[in-house]
Amino acid sequence: MSSITVTLAMAAVLALCASAQAATIEIQNRDKPGLGFNDPTPATPVGGNNGRTLGEQRMNVYKYVAGIWEKALDSSVKITVSAGWEALDCNASGAVLGSAMPYNVWYDFPGAPVAGTWYPQALANKISGRSLTDYYGQQDDGSGYGNVDILTQFNINLGASGCLTGTPFYLGLDGQAGSQIDFATTLLHELGHGMGFSLLTTNASNGARFMTIPSIWESFMYDNTLGKTWLDMEDWERSFSAVNPLQLAWTGSNAVNGVPQVLSFAKLPALQVSGSGAATVAGTKQLGEAEFGPPLSPQPVSGAIVRIVDQVNGTGLACTPLSAANAALAAGKIALIDRGNCAFTVKVKNLQLAGAKAVLVADNVVAPISGMAGSDASITIPSVRVLKADGDAIKAALLNRVRGKPAPELLASLAASVTGQYAGTDSSGRPLLYTPAAFSAGSSVSHWDTSLTPSVLMEPFMTQGLSTLLAPPKDLTLPLLKDLGW
């Protein structure tokens, strides 16, 4: 199951999708009389939606989005979707807009491309060329959903007091949602999860598999730190990978080949870590450049990393001139310090005065990478910002130094990239999946990472400028689904 969440400032924009492929989607309305799709509240036509009641307008959007998916997919088996409106989690500043999941999963069905692997029902039906629930004679399990392929639900309270107050779903078909939440884009996203854009049966938080069987999703996820696909990992490795920021890449050829058409290309700065103590931190790290001091160049600045510790609680803030011991440690080295308590320029200037050749500022919160603001013409050494996860990992690797044991050596090389990289990909050009350091149930692993630029449909948060075109040059949703077997 997967969900999509927004804040008050988020909105979506709609565009047209066209494809020569074909599928049939049947919508089953499970709402009770007077509620959801059956709400009789009078409504004024809006944005090409000519429904005269709130319920009719909701269903018109659903039919419109189902039509987009019908054109994008190729299946001879009808896809049945159960649709309803329910009270989902929300408060005054944020809300779960909706969620969707495949209602059944299958393995070793007739025609299954990979043995011993879970597939979502709609995809399994497409591959086998038949309704598997009918083929195996399965009966209704008492839920009332029959042989439904996808189960969807949307927040009936959105826009009401205490639930993103005053920010309801926009029910137009023209993408002009303004400050409202575009229902068409939200639904397009959720149906993507129902079609299989999801980890499915594997628990990302602990890495455990349902019935010990992997899902088809796992074979396309490669962790650059561990050097393995999820298919080849132990449970603990999968749980580690799910919270390993910017290291889990999608390897499917359709999505990878679509990257140059969809994502922006830029020459990005890079931090390379190596050395005798670098087993857990070696490799290229993401970094943010400073607005002050000399810019990075293709000629790297290299040296040993030292951790500055000048506070009782173990942090190295460098907000005051360094002690003699810290200054001796920093001289001629690349110093690692912590963000917080004073301006970036103050920290870097204190390290420069102590003789450091460069500075790494470790973030103190889990957040996407960003640069460092400030201005000081007297700063002559380069400085960069690194993710909290990378800073913590480097500190851990240097821990023996703090404990007085033989110190491992970590080397850093800072340089402006001469080759460049597509935004939201790894060094091999493979798009990254969402693996924040703080695990997010329903979001982690089963979405594209938020670093993809421009934003695409299947990210965990709604952003502006989204298109309903599911394939390149606008999006990578359909290529990923094709990797799975669509």
Side-chain angles (χ1 to χ4, degrees), residues 354-400:
K357 65 162 52 178
V359 178
L360 309 179
V361 181
D363 210 338
N364 56 2
V365 295
V366 176
I369 199 69
S370 59
M372 297 191 294
S375 176
D376 186 338
S378 68
I379 292 178
T380 59
I381 62 173
S383 58
V384 297
R385 184 170 173 177
V386 298
L387 293 167
K388 184 179 186 300
D390 290 332
D392 290 345
I394 293 172
K395 292 174 190 176
L398 293 171
L399 190 58
N400 283 343

Coordinates of all heavy atoms in Angstrom, one line a residue, residues 354-400:
A354 N 43.0 28.4 11.6 CA 43.7 27.3 12.2 C 44.6 26.5 11.2 O 45.3 25.6 11.6 CB 42.7 26.4 12.9
G355 N 44.5 26.9 9.9 CA 45.4 26.3 9.0 C 44.8 25.1 8.2 O 45.5 24.5 7.4
A356 N 43.5 24.9 8.3 CA 42.8 23.9 7.5 C 42.9 24.2 6.0 O 42.8 25.4 5.6 CB 41.4 23.7 7.9
K357 N 43.0 23.2 5.1 CA 43.0 23.5 3.7 C 41.6 23.5 3.1 O 41.4 24.0 2.0 CB 43.9 22.5 3.0 CG 43.4 21.0 3.0 CD 44.1 20.1 1.9 CE 45.6 20.2 1.9 NZ 46.2 19.3 0.9
A358 N 40.6 22.9 3.8 CA 39.2 22.8 3.3 C 38.4 22.4 4.4 O 38.8 21.9 5.5 CB 39.1 21.9 2.1
V359 N 37.0 22.7 4.3 CA 36.1 22.4 5.4 C 34.9 21.6 4.9 O 34.3 22.0 3.8 CB 35.6 23.7 6.1 CG1 34.6 23.3 7.2 CG2 36.8 24.4 6.6
L360 N 34.5 20.6 5.6 CA 33.3 19.8 5.3 C 32.3 20.2 6.5 O 32.6 20.0 7.6 CB 33.5 18.3 5.3 CG 34.6 17.8 4.4 CD1 34.6 16.2 4.6 CD2 34.3 18.2 3.0
V361 N 31.1 20.7 6.2 CA 30.1 21.1 7.2 C 29.0 20.0 7.1 O 28.3 20.0 6.1 CB 29.6 22.5 7.0 CG1 28.6 22.8 8.1 CG2 30.7 23.5 7.0
A362 N 28.9 19.2 8.1 CA 27.9 18.2 8.2 C 26.6 18.7 8.6 O 26.5 19.5 9.6 CB 28.3 17.0 9.1
D363 N 25.5 18.5 7.9 CA 24.2 19.0 8.3 C 23.8 18.4 9.6 O 24.2 17.3 10.0 CB 23.2 18.6 7.2 CG 22.1 19.6 7.1 OD1 21.8 20.4 8.1 OD2 21.4 19.7 6.0
N364 N 22.9 19.1 10.3 CA 22.4 18.6 11.6 C 21.0 18.2 11.6 O 20.4 17.9 12.6 CB 22.6 19.7 12.7 CG 21.9 21.0 12.3 OD1 21.3 21.1 11.3 ND2 22.1 22.0 13.2
V365 N 20.4 18.1 10.4 CA 19.1 17.6 10.2 C 19.0 16.8 8.9 O 19.9 16.9 8.0 CB 18.0 18.8 10.0 CG1 17.9 19.6 11.3 CG2 18.4 19.7 8.8
V366 N 18.1 15.9 8.9 CA 17.9 15.0 7.7 C 17.1 15.8 6.7 O 16.0 16.2 6.8 CB 17.1 13.7 8.0 CG1 16.9 12.9 6.8 CG2 17.9 12.9 9.1
A367 N 17.8 16.2 5.6 CA 17.2 17.0 4.5 C 18.0 16.9 3.3 O 19.1 16.4 3.3 CB 17.2 18.5 5.0
P368 N 17.3 17.2 2.1 CA 18.1 17.1 0.8 C 19.3 18.1 0.9 O 19.3 19.0 1.6 CB 17.0 17.6 -0.2 CG 15.7 17.3 0.5 CD 15.9 17.5 1.9
I369 N 20.3 17.8 0.0 CA 21.5 18.6 0.1 C 21.2 20.0 -0.4 O 20.3 20.3 -1.3 CB 22.6 18.0 -0.9 CG1 23.9 18.5 -0.5 CG2 22.2 18.2 -2.3 CD1 24.4 18.1 0.8
S370 N 21.9 21.0 0.2 CA 21.7 22.4 -0.2 C 23.1 23.1 0.0 O 24.0 22.5 0.7 CB 20.6 23.1 0.5 OG 20.8 23.1 1.9
G371 N 23.2 24.3 -0.5 CA 24.5 25.0 -0.4 C 24.6 25.7 1.0 O 23.9 25.5 1.9
M372 N 25.6 26.6 1.0 CA 25.8 27.4 2.2 C 25.9 28.9 1.9 O 26.7 29.3 1.0 CB 27.1 27.0 2.9 CG 27.1 25.6 3.4 SD 28.6 25.2 4.5 CE 29.9 25.4 3.3
A373 N 25.0 29.7 2.5 CA 24.9 31.1 2.2 C 25.9 31.9 3.0 O 26.3 31.4 4.1 CB 23.4 31.6 2.4
G374 N 26.2 33.1 2.5 CA 27.1 33.9 3.3 C 28.0 34.7 2.4 O 28.2 34.4 1.2
S375 N 28.7 35.7 3.0 CA 29.7 36.5 2.3 C 30.8 36.9 3.2 O 30.6 37.4 4.3 CB 29.0 37.7 1.7 OG 29.9 38.5 1.0
D376 N 32.0 36.6 2.7 CA 33.2 37.0 3.5 C 34.4 36.9 2.5 O 34.9 35.9 2.2 CB 33.5 36.1 4.7 CG 34.7 36.6 5.5 OD1 35.5 37.4 5.0 OD2 34.7 36.2 6.7
A377 N 34.8 38.1 2.0 CA 35.9 38.1 1.0 C 37.2 37.7 1.5 O 38.1 37.4 0.7 CB 36.0 39.6 0.4
S378 N 37.4 37.6 2.8 CA 38.7 37.1 3.4 C 38.8 35.6 3.4 O 39.9 35.1 3.7 CB 38.8 37.7 4.8 OG 37.9 37.1 5.7
I379 N 37.8 34.9 3.1 CA 37.9 33.4 3.1 C 38.5 32.9 1.9 O 38.1 33.3 0.8 CB 36.5 32.8 3.3 CG1 36.0 33.1 4.7 CG2 36.6 31.3 3.1 CD1 34.6 32.5 5.0
T380 N 39.6 32.2 2.0 CA 40.4 31.7 0.8 C 40.5 30.2 0.7 O 41.2 29.7 -0.2 CB 41.8 32.3 1.0 OG1 42.4 31.8 2.2 CG2 41.8 33.8 1.0
I381 N 39.8 29.4 1.6 CA 39.8 28.0 1.4 C 38.4 27.5 1.0 O 37.4 28.2 1.4 CB 40.2 27.3 2.7 CG1 39.2 27.6 3.9 CG2 41.6 27.7 3.1 CD1 39.5 26.8 5.1
P382 N 38.3 26.4 0.3 CA 37.0 25.9 -0.1 C 36.3 25.3 1.0 O 36.9 24.7 1.9 CB 37.3 24.9 -1.2 CG 38.7 24.4 -0.9 CD 39.4 25.6 -0.3
S383 N 35.0 25.3 1.0 CA 34.1 24.7 2.0 C 32.9 24.1 1.3 O 32.4 24.8 0.4 CB 33.8 25.6 3.1 OG 33.1 26.8 2.7
V384 N 32.4 23.0 1.8 CA 31.2 22.4 1.2 C 30.3 21.9 2.4 O 30.8 21.6 3.5 CB 31.5 21.3 0.3 CG1 32.3 21.8 -0.9 CG2 32.3 20.2 1.0
R385 N 29.1 21.6 2.0 CA 28.1 21.0 3.0 C 27.8 19.6 2.6 O 27.7 19.3 1.4 CB 26.8 21.9 2.9 CG 25.7 21.5 3.9 CD 24.7 22.6 3.9 NE 23.5 22.3 4.6 CZ 22.5 23.2 4.8 NH1 22.6 24.4 4.2 NH2 21.4 22.9 5.5
V386 N 27.7 18.7 3.5 CA 27.4 17.3 3.3 C 26.2 16.9 4.0 O 25.8 17.5 5.0 CB 28.6 16.4 3.6 CG1 29.8 16.7 2.8 CG2 28.9 16.4 5.1
L387 N 25.5 15.8 3.5 CA 24.3 15.3 4.2 C 24.6 14.9 5.6 O 25.7 14.4 5.9 CB 23.8 14.1 3.4 CG 23.2 14.4 2.0 CD1 23.0 13.1 1.2 CD2 21.9 15.2 2.1
K388 N 23.6 14.9 6.5 CA 23.8 14.5 7.8 C 24.2 13.0 7.9 O 25.1 12.6 8.6 CB 22.5 14.6 8.6 CG 22.6 14.2 10.1 CD 21.3 14.4 10.8 CE 21.5 14.2 12.3 NZ 21.9 12.8 12.6
A389 N 23.6 12.2 7.0 CA 23.9 10.7 7.0 C 25.4 10.5 6.6 O 26.1 9.7 7.2 CB 23.0 10.0 6.0
D390 N 25.9 11.3 5.6 CA 27.3 11.2 5.3 C 28.3 11.7 6.4 O 29.3 11.1 6.6 CB 27.6 11.9 4.0 CG 27.0 11.2 2.8 OD1 26.8 10.0 2.8 OD2 26.6 11.9 1.8
G391 N 27.9 12.8 7.0 CA 28.7 13.3 8.1 C 28.7 12.3 9.3 O 29.8 12.1 9.8
D392 N 27.6 11.7 9.6 CA 27.5 10.7 10.7 C 28.4 9.5 10.3 O 29.1 9.0 11.2 CB 26.1 10.3 10.9 CG 25.2 11.4 11.6 OD1 25.8 12.3 12.1 OD2 24.0 11.2 11.6
A393 N 28.4 9.1 9.1 CA 29.1 7.9 8.7 C 30.6 8.2 8.8 O 31.4 7.3 9.2 CB 28.7 7.5 7.3
I394 N 31.1 9.4 8.3 CA 32.5 9.7 8.4 C 32.9 9.8 9.9 O 34.0 9.3 10.2 CB 32.7 11.1 7.7 CG1 32.5 10.9 6.2 CG2 34.2 11.5 7.9 CD1 32.6 12.2 5.4
K395 N 32.1 10.4 10.7 CA 32.4 10.5 12.1 C 32.6 9.1 12.7 O 33.5 8.8 13.5 CB 31.3 11.2 12.9 CG 31.2 12.7 12.6 CD 30.0 13.3 13.3 CE 29.7 14.7 12.8 NZ 28.5 15.2 13.5
A396 N 31.7 8.2 12.4 CA 31.7 6.8 12.9 C 33.0 6.1 12.4 O 33.7 5.4 13.2 CB 30.5 6.0 12.4
A397 N 33.4 6.4 11.2 CA 34.6 5.7 10.7 C 35.9 6.3 11.4 O 36.9 5.6 11.4 CB 34.7 5.9 9.2
L398 N 35.8 7.5 11.9 CA 36.9 8.1 12.6 C 36.9 7.9 14.1 O 37.6 8.5 14.8 CB 37.0 9.6 12.2 CG 37.3 10.0 10.8 CD1 37.1 11.5 10.6 CD2 38.7 9.6 10.4
L399 N 35.9 7.1 14.6 CA 35.6 7.0 16.0 C 36.9 6.5 16.8 O 37.1 6.9 17.9 CB 34.5 6.1 16.2 CG 33.9 6.0 17.7 CD1 33.5 7.4 18.1 CD2 32.8 5.1 17.8
N400 N 37.7 5.7 16.2 CA 38.9 5.2 16.9 C 39.8 6.3 17.3 O 40.5 6.2 18.3 CB 39.6 4.2 16.0 CG 38.9 2.8 16.0 OD1 38.1 2.6 16.8 ND2 39.3 2.0 15.0

